């Protein structure tokens, strides 16, 4: 907010000026939003009148809300007027619009007015949406001293329009809107895939929470869980959601588990399971994906193994590594002979055992771990 001296010339929109604050002098340009009183926007600020403007500085200046400044003409360097900072870090948006002028008026207010200061801070937080405003910005941007900043935060939170999320202050309305979007996305995911255990947590974060403060996602998820709207784990699901298999899918599940259990470490291909069950391949794949998520099956290099068969294998090998004395070593040939399987299954299984820290590869062989 700035005022042009009565004896100065009118200050035109786009004029180059010298900005003085403390001992700092920086060149900048004036973008006039509109007069403080009367209609706007204005192409210039007449002598003796006050207006709202944005100053684009060509260098750095350390200022905060409430700091006063002086403007001088670029040449000759005569004093034009002065004003007060309403926002030291304004958004990069159109300046000569009714919305921009309304924003200036929300940020302005009588000096020392606690109501006006609270409304201005609330406006700065609300316009940040889910990104929120750092608590520290109450000092650096809003111009409050630490004690005032704490009191302001307590006041805004008590009013219910602002929520403290970690070190960030976020508009409560923005959090509620994100919660509604997330609940709708979870419901839509179930509608699209009835066999899914829920919307993957990280997918939800990436799709719906871009630009949000880091702690906002967990806060919104926690609020929905507390309300009983969703259940949260690696996936987000509607509270009380239960899988409902069709007769065809139930038959596919029974056949799939039975054949993979029987196959042990040399399980049949999906095509063989499809032929045996008479269930379409797409349904078998859907059930297989479901059982993998439920940890009943394990997919290794494109092969499906029953989790029970893999657990038996790990127990047997760990038993080999327990006796004191020489290390238990396993190579590909010995592994194939011991379990009666081909290289097609042996190599993926041995690499799986390495990842599970049951074995450790040394050259062409594996050593069974004792830890």
């Amino acid at each position: 907010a700035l005022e042009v001296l009565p004896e100065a010339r009118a200050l035109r929109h786009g004029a180059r000026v010298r900005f003085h604050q403390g001992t700092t002098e920086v060149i900048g340009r004036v973008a006039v939003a509109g007069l403080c009183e009367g209609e706007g926007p204005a192409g210039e600020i007449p002598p003796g009148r006050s207006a709202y403007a944005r100053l684009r500085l060509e260098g750095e200046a350390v200022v905060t809300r409430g700091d006063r400044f002086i403007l001088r003409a670029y040449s000759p360097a005569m004093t034009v007027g002065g004003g007060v900072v309403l926002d030291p870090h304004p958004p990069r948006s159109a300046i000569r619009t009714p919305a921009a002028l309304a924003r200036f008026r929300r940020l302005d207010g009588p000096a020392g007015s606690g109501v006006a200061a609270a409304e201005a801070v609330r406006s700065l937080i609300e316009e940040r949406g889910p990104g929120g405003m750092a608590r520290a910005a109450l000092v650096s941007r809003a111009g409050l001293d630490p004690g005032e900043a704490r009191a302001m935060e307590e006041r805004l939170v008590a009013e219910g329009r602002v929520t403290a999320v970690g070190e960030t202050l976020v508009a409560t309305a923005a959090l509620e809107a994100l919660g509604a979007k997330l609940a709708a996305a979870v419901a839509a995911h179930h509608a699209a895939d009835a066999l899914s255990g829920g919307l993957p947590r990280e997918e939800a974060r990436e799709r719906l929470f871009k630009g949000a403060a880091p702690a906002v996602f967990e806060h919104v998820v926690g609020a929905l869980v507390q309300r009983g709207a969703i259940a949260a784990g690696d996936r987000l699901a509607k509270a009380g959601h239960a899988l409902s298999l069709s007769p065809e899918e139930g038959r596919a599940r029974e056949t799939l588990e039975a054949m993979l259990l029987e196959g042990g470490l040399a399980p049949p291909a999906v095509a063989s399971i499809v032929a045996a069950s008479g269930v379409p391949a797409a349904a078998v794949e859907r059930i297989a994906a479901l059982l993998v998520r439920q940890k009943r099956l394990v997919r290794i290099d494109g092969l499906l193994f029953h989790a029970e068969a893999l657990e038996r294998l790990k127990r047997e090998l760990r038993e080999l590594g327990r006796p004191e004395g020489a290390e238990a070593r396993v190579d590909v040939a010995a592994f194939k002979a011991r379990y009666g399987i081909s290289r097609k299954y042996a190599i993926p299984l041995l690499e799986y055992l390495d990842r599970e820290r049951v074995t450790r590869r040394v050259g062409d062989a594996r050593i069974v771990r004792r830890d």
Side-chain angles (χ1 to χ4, degrees):
L2 61 89
E3 180 180 358
V4 174
L5 295 173
E7 62 272 21
R9 292 183 180 179
L11 185 59
R12 292 178 292 103
H13 177 79
R16 204 168 186 215
V17 294
R18 298 176 183 272
F19 173 89
H20 293 263
Q21 202 281 322
T23 59
T24 299
E25 177 184 321
V26 184
I27 304 299
R29 288 191 183 274
V30 178
V32 181
L35 300 178
C36 292
E37 297 180 0
E39 297 184 0
E44 62 179 26
I45 308 172
R49 298 294 299 276
S50 297
Y52 296 118
R54 182 166 62 199
L55 302 175
R56 187 178 297 279
L57 305 181
E58 297 177 8
E60 294 181 346
V62 180
V63 294
T64 189
R65 176 178 163 80
D67 283 352
R68 303 200 67 83
F69 60 87
I70 293 172
L71 289 186
R72 292 193 172 97
Y74 179 68
S75 181
M78 299 176 60
T79 300
V80 174
V84 63
V85 176
L86 299 180
D87 182 5
H89 191 63
R92 293 173 177 265
S93 56
I95 194 71
R96 306 183 73 185
T97 66
L101 189 56
R103 180 179 188 272
F104 276 102
R105 289 181 171 141
R106 286 196 303 274
L107 295 178
D108 201 1
S113 169
V115 174
E119 186 61 35
V121 172
R122 187 162 49 236
S123 178
L124 290 173
I125 293 171
E126 288 175 349
E127 69 187 17
R128 287 280 299 153
M133 190 169 83
R135 282 171 155 163
L138 291 177
V139 176
S140 62
R141 185 177 180 187
L144 305 175
D145 67 38
E148 291 172 333
R150 285 192 296 273
M152 180 66 73
E153 179 184 334
E154 291 170 2
R155 173 178 178 171
L156 295 177
V157 170
E159 289 175 354
R161 289 177 62 179
V162 170
T163 300
V165 181
E167 292 302 311
T168 306
L169 300 175
V170 186
T172 303
L175 295 174
E176 291 173 348
L178 278 174
K181 282 185 180 179
L182 181 57
V186 169
H189 184 83
H190 285 311
D193 186 356
L195 296 184
S196 172
L199 179 63
R201 195 182 189 100
E202 290 309 308
E203 180 183 332
R205 188 197 302 270
E206 291 173 8
R207 274 177 46 197
L208 303 176
F209 288 78
K210 288 180 180 177
V216 164
F217 175 72
E218 296 301 335
H219 177 90
V220 171
V221 169
L224 289 175
V225 170
Q226 190 172 17
R227 287 211 309 264
I230 66 171
D234 291 340
R235 291 172 175 262
L236 307 178
K238 290 171 65 176
H241 173 71
L243 297 177
S244 179
L245 303 182
S246 67
E248 180 181 79
E249 290 165 340
R251 191 165 68 254
R253 178 172 184 160
E254 289 176 7
T255 305
L256 191 60
E257 285 215 62
M259 292 185 70
L260 290 178
L261 265 174
E262 185 180 351
L265 300 181
V270 171
S272 301
I273 298 171
V274 169
S277 66
V279 176
V284 172
E285 289 289 357
R286 288 199 304 273
I287 293 299
L290 170 64
L291 293 174
V292 168
R293 288 197 300 271
Q294 293 178 336
K295 303 189 186 309
R296 295 288 297 162
L297 303 182
V298 178
R299 196 182 295 273
I300 304 173
D301 290 355
L303 299 171
L304 282 172
F305 295 86
H306 201 284
E308 291 182 16
L310 295 178
E311 286 303 314
R312 283 197 301 271
L313 172 63
K314 289 193 283 188
R315 282 197 302 271
E316 288 180 17
L317 286 178
R318 285 188 177 119
E319 286 296 325
L320 290 177
R322 282 184 180 175
E324 297 297 330
E327 293 178 319
R329 299 174 69 89
V330 179
D331 58 23
V332 176
F335 189 75
K336 286 166 54 181
R338 181 181 181 90
Y339 293 103
I341 57 177
S342 67
R343 188 179 181 85
K344 170 185 173 181
Y345 301 106
I347 298 300
L349 284 170
L350 285 169
E351 291 175 350
Y352 166 78
L353 292 169
D354 293 342
R355 291 193 297 272
E356 293 291 299
R357 297 186 60 80
V358 175
T359 57
R360 176 168 53 88
R361 184 167 183 173
V362 178
D364 293 332
R366 265 85 177 172
I367 296 174
V368 179
R369 293 176 179 269
R370 291 177 175 174
D371 52 358

